[in-house]
Structures are given as structure tokens and as C-alpha cells.
Amino acid sequence: MRLAFLAFAAVLLGTAGAQADCAADFAAIMHHGREVGPFRVEGEASVGALRMVTVTEVVPPDAAHVHVSTPQGDQEVIVTGGQAWGNVKGFWLPLDEATARQMQTDFALAGILYSDKAQNVQCLGETMVDGTQYLGFKYDAAIANFTVPMTVYVDPASRLPVRTEGTMQSGGDTARFSATYKLAPDLKIVPPPKP
């Protein structure tokens, strides 16, 4: 009986250690993807016929250009050099210094592919998607005050994320989220043109 208990305890401890290693591996991959250099994330969120497309370009540590398209119109923000601008109906307007500083800090610290505050990280191991081998991870992402189960696929050679996707039910509708990550070594974030 004692031997069975020790074996059971070893399995539990091994599982907890593997889960901790998995979460640490996931965090390292997401951090590496954030710090490795300029990158572009193209994301889409949809519920029924409603669709939002977001293109986020980031030059670490703190420059970004975000363009969001919704049925109600487009929104655009540029943050660089300690300043920020918002595009309002085709006109670029400077944002106040406190807002610019906060946005710059947010972009510098943000996770990628909805990985901020990821919970319940699970390693899926090697996963084949459309004939390509990836490392897979599942996690719960906080998106707009909801918890969304997500799956991210990582290139095993570069250890960079490639794509994430997730779905959730809300009010009888299915919300879908997806994003792709790509390095963009030639990307530059510059202030908008002056009027």
C-alpha cells in the first residue's frame, strides 16, 4: 500500500512539474516572439455576420502601428518616439502625453496572440496542421472580459508562434478569434504625415 501511495505521489509530482515546464515553455516562446524583432500580427474576430480585422505592427521595444477595421469604420493609432497619434476620419491627431506614454508602455509589455495573462496552459506536443509540423499549446485567453480557449501553433525550428485560433459561445452565438504572427525585419514605424 505504501509503495502504491509513493508511486501515485510521484505521478502527481511529475504531472505538476510537467505542467509548470509547459507553462514556462509557452511563456518563453511568447516572450521570444515579442522580443526577437519587428513583427506583424494579423487578427480577426467574428460573431455571426460581424467581423473585426486588426493589423498590429510592432518594432520592439515600444513602437507600434495598429489598424482596426469594423463594420462601423476604421481606427488607427501610431505610437513611436514617446508620442502617439490617432486617425480620426482621415485626420491624424496627436494624443496627449500621458496617453502616449501609457500606450507606449502597453505595447512594450503586451503579449502576442492573445497570450497576456494566459491561464491553464497545456502542451499538445507535435501537431500536424495542413501538412506542416508544429508544436501546439492550448490556453485560456482573456479577451474583452471573456475567457476564450485558444490554441497556438509554434514553428519548432525557430520557436516562434505562427498562428492562434479559438472559439467561444456567447448568447447563442459562436465567437471566433484567429491571428497570424510573422517577423517583419524591414518594418519601420514612423510618425504620420503632418497636415
Side-chain angles (χ1 to χ4, degrees):
M1 176 96 153
R2 188 173 191 190
L3 185 57
F5 174 76
L6 291 175
F8 178 71
V11 168
L12 282 180
L13 290 174
T15 301
Q19 288 172 339
D21 289 347
C22 176
D25 200 26
F26 173 81
I29 287 168
M30 291 301 160
H31 179 77
H32 176 62
R34 175 86 181 101
E35 300 298 325
V36 72
F39 63 89
R40 177 183 176 100
V41 174
E42 296 180 13
E44 182 175 322
S46 63
V47 177
L50 298 176
R51 184 172 173 251
M52 178 178 74
V53 175
T54 305
V55 176
T56 304
E57 298 173 322
V58 177
V59 177
D62 54 13
H65 179 201
V66 180
H67 186 201
V68 179
S69 296
T70 68
Q72 291 78 29
D74 291 359
Q75 299 175 357
E76 199 169 3
V77 173
I78 292 176
V79 179
T80 187
Q83 295 181 292
W85 299 265
N87 190 333
V88 179
K89 297 185 179 184
F91 295 99
W92 285 99
L93 302 174
L95 302 176
D96 64 83
E97 185 178 335
T99 301
R101 193 170 32 255
Q102 184 60 51
M103 291 178 80
Q104 200 158 22
T105 299
D106 290 348
F107 283 124
L109 299 176
I112 57 173
L113 303 179
Y114 305 111
S115 65
D116 283 355
K117 300 176 187 164
Q119 297 290 318
N120 304 319
V121 177
Q122 299 173 23
C123 291
L124 302 178
E126 294 184 355
T127 305
M128 187 72 71
V129 179
D130 297 329
T132 303
Q133 191 79 21
Y134 296 106
L135 296 176
F137 294 87
K138 281 187 176 264
Y139 58 103
D140 291 336
I143 302 175
N145 297 321
F146 292 98
T147 299
V148 180
M150 303 292 284
T151 303
V152 66
Y153 301 102
V154 175
D155 177 359
S158 69
R159 298 198 45 87
L160 290 172
V162 176
R163 176 177 175 77
T164 191
E165 52 196 29
T167 60
M168 66 170 272
Q169 298 297 315
S170 176
D173 289 323
T174 300
R176 290 181 169 71
F177 301 88
S178 65
T180 57
Y181 169 99
K182 293 180 183 166
L183 286 178
D186 297 329
L187 179 65
K188 306 261 188 285
I189 307 290
V190 297
K194 293 184 179 181

